[in-house]
Amino acid sequence: MTFRALNQKYLEPASQYLMILGIVALCQPWNLFLHRYGMTMTLVGLIAFMVTTKIPRDAQPDEGSHS
């Protein structure tokens, strides 16, 4: 598995889920640790998403051309 495939399959979704988890952690009132680090999780997820989306995806052959 190439780094580009690894990035597309695991790193991009992980950064998105980290942003979502950070937002949920900010909005919940029960756990002070999650509330305290919710903004940090959101920012780390945002920066990771910005970096991982700059890595180009693997070139895939066209579906219509069967040479």
Side-chain angles (χ1 to χ4, degrees):
M1 178 176 268
T2 65
F3 178 72
R4 290 180 179 182
L6 179 76
N7 178 53
Q8 182 179 351
K9 188 171 184 178
Y10 296 112
L11 297 179
E12 277 186 40
S15 63
Q16 293 171 351
Y17 290 135
L18 184 60
M19 285 190 287
I20 292 170
L21 181 65
I23 292 170
V24 169
L26 277 173
C27 295
Q28 61 83 32
W30 303 287
N31 191 333
L32 182 61
F33 178 80
L34 287 178
H35 184 73
R36 181 177 296 156
Y37 292 106
M39 188 60 155
T40 305
M41 289 190 291
T42 305
L43 287 175
V44 168
L46 177 65
I47 292 169
F49 181 73
M50 290 172 60
V51 169
T52 57
T53 55
K54 301 297 183 210
I55 300 170
R57 296 176 178 243
D58 281 335
Q60 296 179 356
D62 292 336
E63 295 279 331
S65 64
H66 295 286
S67 300

